Amino acid sequence: MNAYQPPSSEVLVDIYRRMALIKQNDERFRAVIKSGKLVMPYYSPRGQEVIPSAMSVCLTDDDYICTIYRGVHDMIAKGVPLNELWAEFGGRVTGTCKGKGKGGPMHVTHPASGVMVTTGIVGSSMPIANGLALAAQIRGEPRVAVAYFGDGASNIGAFHESLNMASVWKLPVIFVCQNNGYAEHTKYAYGTSVANIAQRAVAYQMPGITVNGNDPIAMHKVAREAVERAHNGGGPTLIEANTFRFQGHVFGDPDAYMDKHEKTAWVAKDPVPLFRQWLIDAKHASEEQLAAMEAAHEAQIDAAVEFTLSSEYPDVAELRRDIFKDEVLA
């Protein structure tokens, strides 16, 4: 494996671009839901922006990701177009999966950007990623599959089965645990027996790495090494990226189960403004450059919201499409 080269200014700014777009989208999603213009379940990823942003700059459009219901940041970082993403969340026929009849917030799929599945079944991103990685391996395609999941999913059977299979077959898959400290409403220590989820990798003869998931450069380093390992036939890697979610489990959750002092401390270390300031201080970007980028994001989001609100809901006939071989059941 080649020695790790620190990311260039261009790559660092690209990581921030994705982080900022995720943050700005999240803020708008919550505002639009509060306004009553859209009604949907929403699982905020706020606070977890670094992980998929640093991961995605190491991936190509041909690489796959499988994510979970709290995965809108993974989708945005991988490049799902905002118009189609918002329309899917809003249940419109112009969405990535034709609206809620086919997908919705918990089931976004967009193969063109490599987002192969979003699942509401805890832990099921992992066996699906294995299948995609196996297909790439059989076809001789230089693709990597990334499975995103939360800390709670590391306690179910699919986690262990998937790591075992990936190791036995040396699959080009990367298991990325976004450990935000809570499995829905359960604090990590109340439901998980090990201090670090990455420790579990040793049982499956693969590298297990615990990283500060709010440090863009540290996250980029482990992501790049895991991608290179997968591409070079070295098999899978388990990455545990430690982070914190700033919101409750689902929109409207008052998060009374969270330690308020812990939450306050994490929010004070919000990775998005901290990384923004670091880029400016280290002269990787200027205030003007980043402000222009963020303004462009707002314009994109404005257009996506308008696109969604002006789009139609799916026709009832969609209930019978994509089920049988024929397009519409007679």
Side-chain angles (χ1 to χ4, degrees):
M1 185 177 294
N2 297 327
Y4 175 72
Q5 297 295 320
S8 64
S9 294
E10 181 181 7
V11 170
L12 291 168
V13 171
D14 193 15
I15 293 172
Y16 178 75
R17 176 186 65 80
R18 298 169 201 244
M19 290 170 57
L21 187 57
I22 292 165
K23 174 181 177 290
Q24 291 171 256
N25 263 272
D26 176 77
E27 290 169 347
R28 187 67 67 86
F29 267 126
R30 288 186 282 120
V32 171
I33 294 170
K34 286 179 180 178
S35 75
K37 293 179 181 177
L38 290 177
V39 178
M40 66 180 94
Y42 183 66
Y43 302 86
S44 173
R46 188 71 182 86
Q48 300 178 212
E49 295 88 354
V50 170
I51 300 167
S53 299
M55 192 81 224
S56 291
V57 297
C58 300
L59 302 173
T60 69
D61 290 342
D62 291 332
D63 290 324
Y64 301 123
I65 73 164
C66 299
T67 188
I68 58 173
Y69 50 84
R70 193 186 314 285
V72 65
H73 56 323
D74 305 328
M75 305 167 204
I76 292 171
K78 193 62 171 66
V80 176
L82 293 190
N83 280 9
E84 290 89 334
L85 180 66
W86 271 83
E88 188 61 35
F89 271 60
R92 300 315 204 263
V93 72
T94 50
T96 56
C97 303
K98 305 179 186 179
K100 289 185 179 177
K102 305 297 177 183
M106 296 178 73
H107 302 288
V108 172
T109 299
H110 191 258
S113 61
V115 179
M116 303 307 290
V117 69
T118 303
T119 175
I121 301 174
V122 173
S124 63
S125 61
M126 290 176 273
I128 297 171
N130 270 2
L132 293 164
L134 177 61
Q137 186 183 72
I138 291 171
R139 294 169 180 161
E141 298 171 344
R143 294 185 174 193
V144 170
V146 176
Y148 290 114
F149 57 99
D151 47 285
S154 71
N155 295 324
I156 70 168
F159 170 87
H160 299 278
E161 293 160 1
S162 298
L163 266 65
N164 183 65
M165 179 180 286
S167 183
V168 170
W169 290 347
K170 292 292 184 287
L171 297 179
V173 62
I174 303 169
F175 301 101
V176 181
C177 176
Q178 300 192 33
N179 187 349
N180 61 26
Y182 288 87
E184 294 192 355
H185 307 92
T186 304
K187 192 173 178 64
Y188 179 86
Y190 298 160
T192 304
S193 61
V194 291
N196 297 109
I197 288 166
Q199 292 174 250
R200 292 176 167 171
V202 70
Y204 304 104
Q205 297 296 301
M206 72 174 68
I209 303 152
T210 298
V211 63
N212 179 355
N214 284 7
D215 181 332
I217 297 176
M219 187 67 213
H220 179 269
K221 182 178 186 295
V222 300
R224 172 62 68 195
E225 290 173 349
V227 169
E228 287 183 2
R229 174 181 167 81
H231 275 310
N232 294 334
T237 301
L238 171 62
I239 298 172
E240 176 189 18
N242 289 324
T243 184
F244 193 86
R245 59 174 162 92
F246 292 174
Q247 303 292 321
H249 171 58
V250 68
F251 185 82
D253 172 3
D255 69 34
Y257 50 88
M258 284 184 164
D259 182 300
K260 300 307 177 188
H261 297 294
E262 180 186 34
K263 180 177 178 178
T264 299
W266 276 97
V267 171
K269 299 182 291 185
D270 187 337
V272 182
L274 285 179
F275 189 46
R276 186 187 195 279
Q277 191 59 51
W278 181 84
L279 288 174
I280 294 170
D281 293 344
K283 302 191 184 306
H284 291 291
S286 66
E287 166 64 35
E288 293 74 19
Q289 178 186 356
L290 299 183
M293 175 193 296
E294 292 150 2
H297 289 170
E298 289 300 324
Q300 281 183 272
I301 298 167
D302 287 343
V305 173
E306 178 58 34
F307 176 79
T308 298
L309 295 177
S310 62
S311 294
E312 299 292 330
Y313 286 103
D315 188 271
V316 71
E318 284 292 340
L319 290 172
R320 299 190 295 176
R321 288 197 176 97
D322 307 320
I323 297 173
F324 298 92
K325 180 179 178 182
D326 296 329
E327 185 176 290
V328 179
L329 181 64

